[in-house]
Amino acid sequence: MCEVIVVASGKGGTGKTTVCAGIAAALAKQNKKVLIMDCDSGMRGVDMVLGISDRLVYDIADVISGACDFNEAMYRIDGGLELYSIAAPLYADDEVSPSLIKGFVDKVRDDFDYILIDSPAGTGSGFEAAASGADRALVVINPEPISIRGCKKISGKLAEMGVTDRRLIINRFDRDRFFKMGLYKDLDEVIDEAGIRLIGVIPEDIRIIALSQRGALTGNWSQTAVIFDTIVKRIEGIDVPIVIK
């Protein structure tokens, strides 16, 4: 049975798109058939992170408008995995409504083990569209007050939409910087303030940023691969310890 997961963030710049793509790739490496949908109209970035920008012709709006069929707009990611992507419209004016996104997800979900949806930051109409067909949500934050404030807003909105299964990912964690800043005494305080159960902590890793900017994220994650693998195991209900580098 397919599971649809929206990856959301209360503010921009948390690394949400890289996290979404990394989890999708980790699931595909577990022999899952995965679709990653970009719903961030006008700011799409999944195609760049996955290295398919030069191949794009159609996007989700083209499918829903009838300009092409789904298979024409679905791009398989290089690397031999069952990992596919469908792009968001390049222009915000072409944003697709929540009801149409949900209808699309319901139509294609039986073809995949997982569908991951990269949501635009914030709680606007694009977020509502991205979350409209979700079974669960992963909320990405950085360990800082503004990001946590956004997390609370996102979590509340998801609850209103009936998405009860919400988990927290702390991204770009640098232990030394975290304690030098002195904003929180420890990560437990961050988690308590966010108000969502933790599923993973992803360290600051310049190599991951470099790979995502080159469109080569699925190729080599260095030690951060262990973190994504752990998050995937917890998504699948396997009780493994959370790794904190």
Side-chain angles (χ1 to χ4, degrees), residues 131-244:
S132 60
D135 301 310
R136 68 161 78 178
L138 301 175
V139 181
V140 181
I141 69 166
N142 302 140
E144 57 190 38
I146 294 175
S147 187
I148 293 172
R149 177 185 289 178
C151 169
K152 291 178 179 179
K153 290 184 178 180
I154 282 286
S155 182
K157 187 67 175 179
L158 286 164
E160 290 174 9
M161 297 178 70
V163 183
T164 58
D165 189 345
R166 305 184 297 278
R167 294 292 184 268
L168 182 70
I169 293 178
I170 299 173
N171 190 35
R172 295 178 175 166
F173 177 67
D174 182 300
R175 186 184 299 273
D176 290 341
R177 185 173 62 198
F178 177 78
F179 286 108
K180 284 179 181 178
M181 289 176 67
L183 298 172
Y184 302 96
K185 65 180 182 181
D186 52 30
L187 279 182
D188 286 339
E189 189 174 356
V190 173
I191 298 163
D192 289 345
E193 188 169 338
I196 306 178
R197 183 179 172 188
L198 183 70
I199 198 171
V201 179
I202 301 173
E204 180 76 87
D205 189 339
I206 191 65
R207 290 165 292 188
I208 297 301
I209 297 172
L211 288 168
S212 64
Q213 292 297 318
R214 293 180 190 142
L217 186 66
T218 60
N220 177 18
W221 304 339
S222 65
Q223 64 176 350
T224 306
V226 176
I227 309 297
F228 283 111
D229 289 342
T230 299
I231 291 172
V232 161
K233 287 177 182 177
R234 293 177 68 85
I235 286 173
E236 295 190 306
I238 302 171
D239 187 14
V240 295
I242 293 176
V243 178
I244 302 177

Side-chain angles (χ1 to χ4, degrees), residues 10-11 40 81-82 102 106 109 126 140 144 180 200 239-240:
K11 66 178 288 291
D40 197 354
L81 305 174
E82 288 277 7
K102 186 178 186 305
D106 288 344
R109 66 185 298 156
V140 181
E144 57 190 38
K180 284 179 181 178
D239 187 14
V240 295

Side-chain angles (χ1 to χ4, degrees), residues 65-125:
S65 69
C68 68
D69 65 34
F70 172 54
N71 290 327
E72 290 178 291
M74 182 177 67
Y75 297 86
R76 187 169 185 172
I77 310 306
D78 294 337
L81 305 174
E82 288 277 7
L83 177 59
Y84 303 84
S85 182
I86 186 166
L90 188 56
Y91 302 103
D93 289 346
D94 295 325
E95 182 178 279
V96 180
S97 71
S99 61
L100 292 176
I101 289 290
K102 186 178 186 305
F104 173 80
V105 169
D106 288 344
K107 183 177 180 180
V108 305
R109 66 185 298 156
D110 289 343
D111 295 330
F112 299 93
D113 296 307
Y114 286 92
I115 298 175
L116 269 71
I117 303 177
D118 185 34
S119 167
T123 58
S125 58

